[in-house]
Amino acid sequence: MEGALSAVPSETGGRLRGSRCADCAVAVYPADPACPRCGGPAEPVALSGTGTLWTWTVQRYAPKSPPYVPPAAGFAPFTVGYVELAEGVRVLAVLDIRPEDAEIGMPLTIAAGDGVPRATGAVV
């Protein structure tokens, strides 16, 4: 499925592209043409843009390069975590929140970012 990690066109607000099995209805991210559970055909879907923080950590060292390209100002630690969407899919994302504000179970919004999904604290 072409562009599995990219956003769905702008009319859906940059939501992530996943897929849902036509036979057993399991949803996955990134999109896959076949279901990982039953092997049946899967169709592309726009995943919900909100979820809850399932777990998180702070990335305190620069990832291996390539593929990581350090910014001009050098590496700075950042927060990453898994966001569990309403479809039951857990998506690894950069968390645009301070580590001291991260709390398992907190609501987050998630969208396609530059290469990886990004999540922010949801407006409640």
Side-chain angles (χ1 to χ4, degrees), residues 53 56 58 78-79 95-103 106 119 121:
L53 184 57
W56 64 276
V58 176
F78 57 94
T79 311
L95 305 178
D96 291 328
I97 57 175
R98 298 178 317 171
E100 56 269 24
D101 294 335
E103 197 172 308
M106 71 183 290

Side-chain angles (χ1 to χ4, degrees), residues 22-111:
D23 295 333
C24 71
V26 72
V28 298
Y29 176 83
D32 195 313
C35 176
R37 180 187 292 164
C38 72
E43 297 297 322
V45 295
L47 298 172
S48 60
T50 60
T52 57
L53 184 57
W54 188 73
T55 194
W56 64 276
T57 191
V58 176
Q59 177 77 28
R60 297 189 191 280
Y61 56 92
K64 191 173 184 178
S65 182
Y68 175 74
V69 178
F75 175 78
F78 57 94
T79 311
V80 294
Y82 278 95
V83 179
E84 186 167 31
L85 306 179
E87 296 88 350
V89 177
R90 293 181 187 139
V91 178
L92 181 63
V94 172
L95 305 178
D96 291 328
I97 57 175
R98 298 178 317 171
E100 56 269 24
D101 294 335
E103 197 172 308
I104 292 174
M106 71 183 290
L108 296 170
T109 58
I110 188 167

